[in-house]
Amino acid sequence: MRKTTWILTLLLLSLMAKAQVVWFDGKTPVTYSVPKRVEPVVKTALEMWKGDIRQVTGMEPVASAKPRIKVVQGKGADDGFRIYIKGEQIIVEGYNGRGMAYGLLELSRMAGVSPWVWWGDLVPEKRDRLVIDADFKTEQQPSVAYRGIFLNDEDWSLRHWSYTTFEPAPFGHIGPKTYKKIFQLLLRLRANAVWPAMHEGTVAFFKIPGAKAMADSCGIVVGTSHCEPLLRNNVGEWNTKERGAFNYRTNREAVQKYWIERLQEVRKSKDNMFTIGMRGIHDSSMEGYHTEQEKFDALQQVINDQQDLLRKHIGDPAKQMQVFVPYKEVLQLYEKGLQVPDYVTLMWCDDNYGYMTRLSDTQEQLRKGGAGVYYHLSYWGRPHDYLWLTTTQPGLIYNEMREAYDHNCRKLWIANVHDPKVAGYDLELFLDMAWNIDCVSGETINDHYRAWLCRQFGKEAGERLFPVMHEFYRLCGIRRPEFMGWTQVELDKKVYPRGLSPVSDIPLTPQEAATRIADFERIKTTVSESRSLIRQELQDAFFAAIEYPVSAAAAMNRKILCDSIKSHQAYEEIQLLTRQYNELCGGKWRGLMDAAPRKLPVYENVHGHLTGIPANRVNTIHACDYAEVTGNSRTIQMLGRSMKAVSLQKNGVLTYRFDVEEEDDYVIRTALIPTQPNDNGDLRFSVGIDGQEPTVYSLKEPFRSERWKENVLNGQAVRDTKAHLSKGSHTLTIRALDNHIVFDLFFLLRGNNG
């Protein structure tokens, strides 16, 4: 009887188990077939996929008339694909060339190959069997039409590594071999667009033999930044001695000839992205025009002329991918009534620190050309650069990009990165959302990041590392490592050498400094202890993605906040860590990591002096710990000092209850994420206590004002409300009077001055 029961149980379990299709049995190579005629991007992806499977199985996939994996042409949205099972075959159905490519590389992911396999040195685990559920199916297509990166501020990382190590060349060259690796990474991340590196000293993309062909072979659409019209890199390509001034008023014929040269060069290319408009060579205002009206009239003439040039040398301008970027003073000209053709994509920008400044209004959302987003994950400029580590909180990326998508910015998303390797998870999150806007929500960001860590380093290590890296992002959200000197750049050069203020007074108390140092040291210790969980072949990957940023950021905090001896030791530790980074994988990354980009004061062998007046803090309330909510709200993980901020739509109300032990004068400090009014309006909220008349505040700050600088450096905007509170329970009511209000924390401080 017992034996029969056991047999029946086994039979039941086998019936319950899902039927599976084996695509690698450990004995024979994976077989495949592709259509005879495919776009170059499919051939590129096929070679990448074959290499991936060879790493995983130890065997080269073989083309076969009876393939286990069959790639076919299907019908659907551009760049989309389906994977499903038909009999014993896995069918990859691509809706165009890129769709086929993405489908093939999806199989690489399913085999355990990370998109960062080369850039992150993530050697996949060997497998003796690959299976897929017999009922498996997935259909994917992009949420955003064009998705990619702008290689910017490349001077101290990507460029130096490329011409000195990866493909030795004269100064300033980022060669086709480097671009090939970048484009392959973009393919793996399901991206399809690039704005190439363009800084002074970098050889222009179109001057690099084979670079454009390499982009074409990877299905990458080439565009240019906001200050580079019609695919010309002005810094690298406009020679003033030969062509005269870059002045449309006095030298229009030469400027147009310059644009025509590039149009004729790319006229046979299938995919081009044309930025329109005009600025000065070095991203300054247009040369030769002084008043706002003069600039307005000139820019309108430029846009009109560029449409004529495109029509003559490329084709119907309404059928070309065109981008207009209302950035800096160009935004003021646009809002003055500039006529930008309806088929042109409007590309909105953040404030360089991750907070979107403007999005399409109701009328602009109806434009045929749609809208896009230019978003910074690194930056060079005032009030301070962040070109060392990539530490933008994932919740901020989510909140701002979700807001952009909901405002119909769905044509083009470009992330500004100084180096794709260092950009890491932040870049992948950005591109994941561009591919599938619903891949993550405000309440699943933790899960998305945890899954990323587990994919990179294994489930056990990923689970152990998640709380560590969660705390890392919290600490960096309070103050980025690059901002720890409380210094600024681009100041008056008559007052500050090179326009850079020195490290001096640090507005923290000894207790606050000690707590911050201890928090960093704690996660640094856990990272070190986690190394034993990492496979030997992933040790270098672990150091680059986890250990270096955590240890280097911890050392930067000690360098600035400790006394001279400990500070010097921390400085030396940063140098040692950086040398170790640059020798990873036998020197593969030599020259990529620079621990002092632009040689700013914060990176020097110096420390600060603690001068903060202690705040008499009585209580802290996280925005997510509300008692009641009315209206639309959204909790956003990995955002703010609470790491669980609350976005509240217009007229939404949050209610809190708290106790006071002693009657006294208090200050209620409301801390918010320093967002911008996306609709060109205001950014107001009100604070009410115990049903009394609420006080109204505005967060709107002029771009580059002193208060705005303070906000972006702190990652926080605060407003204080004074109140005399009796002993006992009290009620705090917060109302959003405009959209894009995000609450983080509330501090109860004793005394009228806090």
Side-chain angles (χ1 to χ4, degrees), residues 331-378:
L331 176 58
Q332 297 169 351
L333 300 180
Y334 168 75
E335 291 179 338
K336 187 177 173 68
L338 199 69
Q339 295 300 302
V340 180
D342 185 64
Y343 48 77
V344 172
T345 300
L346 296 178
M347 194 166 195
W348 305 113
C349 308
D350 68 326
D351 63 354
N352 306 319
Y353 292 84
Y355 309 96
M356 293 304 302
T357 56
R358 175 86 151 76
L359 293 171
S360 298
D361 62 24
T362 304
Q363 287 302 310
E364 288 162 341
Q365 290 181 36
L366 302 177
R367 291 175 58 89
K368 181 181 177 183
V373 171
Y374 169 38
Y375 192 81
H376 287 78
L377 295 177
S378 62

Side-chain angles (χ1 to χ4, degrees), residues 648-665:
L648 195 62
Q649 294 300 305
K650 186 176 181 178
N651 293 323
V653 179
L654 298 171
T655 302
Y656 301 86
R657 295 187 176 88
F658 62 95
D659 292 327
V660 169
E661 294 184 359
E662 294 184 39
E663 181 175 350
D664 205 339
D665 290 329

Side-chain angles (χ1 to χ4, degrees), residues 379-587:
Y379 181 64
W380 168 353
R382 73 184 82 166
H384 201 281
D385 310 6
Y386 54 106
L387 294 174
W388 181 27
L389 307 176
T390 301
T391 56
T392 300
Q393 290 187 318
L396 181 61
I397 297 170
Y398 168 79
N399 188 64
E400 299 302 282
M401 300 318 299
R402 181 76 228 197
E403 197 78 18
Y405 185 84
D406 290 344
H407 281 74
N408 207 29
C409 295
R410 305 178 183 183
K411 191 66 176 286
L412 170 64
W413 284 13
I414 293 288
N416 184 106
V417 295
H418 70 288
D419 182 88
K421 179 177 174 65
V422 179
Y425 173 73
D426 277 4
L427 175 59
E428 185 163 344
L429 173 61
F430 177 90
L431 291 175
D432 275 0
M433 291 184 67
W435 177 253
N436 175 11
I437 193 64
D438 294 320
C439 71
V440 66
S441 70
E443 295 184 337
T444 63
I445 298 170
N446 287 351
D447 294 337
H448 187 273
Y449 185 45
R450 184 186 291 107
W452 188 85
L453 290 168
C454 290
R455 185 194 71 194
Q456 305 294 82
F457 303 111
K459 182 170 175 55
E460 186 180 4
E463 294 286 353
R464 177 78 180 275
L465 288 170
F466 171 73
V468 173
M469 298 308 294
H470 186 274
E471 177 71 352
F472 172 76
Y473 275 112
R474 183 187 75 83
L475 292 168
C476 292
I478 296 172
R479 198 82 180 179
R480 292 183 190 266
E482 296 91 340
F483 300 168
M484 281 304 299
W486 271 262
T487 52
Q488 292 196 25
V489 303
E490 298 183 8
L491 298 171
D492 186 348
K493 292 183 179 180
K494 296 178 182 178
V495 179
Y496 300 99
R498 293 200 297 147
L500 309 174
S501 59
V503 175
S504 56
D505 295 337
I506 307 299
L508 295 179
T509 66
Q511 180 58 48
E512 288 171 329
T515 298
R516 186 165 174 81
I517 290 170
D519 288 344
F520 263 114
E521 292 304 309
R522 184 170 58 255
I523 62 172
K524 177 185 171 185
T525 298
T526 307
V527 165
S528 181
E529 293 171 349
S530 300
R531 181 175 277 281
S532 62
L533 302 176
I534 307 298
R535 286 190 285 128
Q536 185 58 41
E537 59 268 37
L538 297 183
Q539 292 290 319
D540 283 354
F542 176 74
F543 181 85
I546 305 295
E547 194 162 0
Y548 180 83
V550 170
S551 297
M556 173 62 85
N557 277 264
R558 279 188 282 112
K559 185 180 82 71
I560 296 295
L561 301 178
C562 287
D563 59 30
S564 57
I565 295 176
K566 291 182 179 179
S567 174
H568 176 70
Q569 291 172 343
Y571 172 82
E572 292 297 334
E573 182 180 341
I574 293 171
Q575 312 318 305
L576 179 63
L577 288 165
T578 304
R579 286 194 294 271
Q580 186 175 344
Y581 190 111
N582 285 322
E583 293 304 318
L584 292 173
C585 301

Side-chain angles (χ1 to χ4, degrees), residues 14-313:
S14 66
L15 287 171
M16 289 172 63
K18 279 191 173 183
Q20 293 182 318
V21 170
V22 178
W23 52 299
F24 176 64
D25 61 6
K27 300 174 183 177
T28 57
V30 175
T31 56
Y32 70 92
S33 71
V34 296
K36 289 184 178 180
R37 295 184 178 180
V38 293
E39 295 179 22
V41 65
V42 181
K43 297 177 182 178
T44 298
L46 180 63
E47 291 305 307
M48 294 166 63
W49 174 77
K50 287 165 64 177
D52 294 343
I53 300 304
R54 183 172 60 249
Q55 282 196 76
V56 171
T57 67
M59 299 182 188
E60 179 84 10
V62 176
S64 170
K66 294 184 177 180
R68 187 65 71 184
I69 294 168
K70 186 175 183 180
V71 181
V72 300
Q73 177 71 55
K75 292 182 179 180
D78 280 354
D79 293 4
F81 66 87
R82 284 201 304 156
I83 300 177
Y84 57 95
I85 309 303
K86 187 176 182 181
E88 292 295 306
Q89 283 186 331
I90 301 172
I91 307 297
V92 178
E93 183 179 312
Y95 302 153
N96 62 1
R98 279 192 292 262
M100 287 185 186
Y102 298 150
L104 271 169
L105 295 173
E106 183 72 11
L107 290 181
S108 288
R109 291 185 183 223
M110 293 166 65
V113 179
S114 167
W116 299 91
V117 58
W118 191 86
W119 283 92
D121 302 306
L122 286 154
V123 182
E125 281 192 272
K126 298 289 185 183
R127 306 279 287 275
D128 56 15
R129 186 176 174 84
L130 293 173
V131 299
I132 188 171
D133 291 340
D135 62 352
F136 176 85
K137 58 183 176 181
T138 182
E139 181 166 9
Q140 301 183 33
Q141 58 192 48
S143 296
V144 177
Y146 294 91
R147 315 159 300 279
I149 61 175
F150 175 23
L151 295 166
N152 195 20
D153 308 315
E154 67 277 4
D155 313 41
W156 301 273
S157 53
L158 181 70
R159 183 177 77 189
H160 186 258
W161 166 78
S162 177
Y163 77 80
T164 61
T165 301
F166 187 59
E167 50 181 325
F171 175 86
H173 280 250
I174 299 178
K177 186 180 173 185
T178 302
Y179 272 115
K180 179 181 180 180
K181 289 299 184 183
I182 293 169
F183 298 153
Q184 288 179 336
L185 173 65
L186 293 180
L187 256 182
R188 291 185 183 277
L189 294 174
R190 296 167 298 213
N192 62 359
V194 70
W195 290 355
M198 48 70 74
H199 260 211
E200 190 171 9
T202 299
V203 177
F205 179 79
F206 281 91
K207 286 187 175 182
I208 300 292
K212 179 62 166 66
M214 195 65 72
D216 293 340
S217 73
C218 294
I220 303 298
V221 180
V222 179
T224 45
S225 70
H226 63 280
C227 57
E228 302 176 278
L230 301 188
L231 290 174
R232 299 278 350 201
N233 170 214
N234 301 329
V235 172
E237 296 185 310
W238 180 270
N239 189 316
T240 303
K241 290 183 179 179
E242 294 177 2
R243 299 180 185 267
F246 193 61
N247 186 320
Y248 208 66
R249 169 177 258 167
T250 62
N251 201 16
R252 179 180 302 183
E253 185 177 345
V255 172
Q256 288 197 359
K257 181 175 183 293
Y258 168 71
W259 289 337
I260 291 168
E261 290 169 4
R262 182 54 37 79
L263 295 180
Q264 291 178 336
E265 183 181 345
V266 303
R267 69 183 184 276
K268 293 183 180 179
S269 297
K270 181 182 177 183
D271 286 321
N272 293 302
M273 183 185 300
F274 299 106
T275 296
I276 64 170
M278 187 177 183
R279 301 195 82 233
I281 291 177
H282 295 275
D283 193 16
S284 59
S285 185
M286 286 177 68
E287 294 181 29
Y289 303 94
H290 306 289
T291 68
E292 185 175 78
Q293 188 61 45
E294 285 181 344
K295 293 177 183 179
F296 176 88
D297 293 338
L299 187 55
Q300 186 66 70
Q301 186 63 56
V302 165
I303 292 172
N304 295 343
D305 291 349
Q306 287 170 339
Q307 303 311 296
D308 292 337
L309 293 176
L310 286 168
R311 184 178 292 105
K312 182 177 180 180
H313 299 282

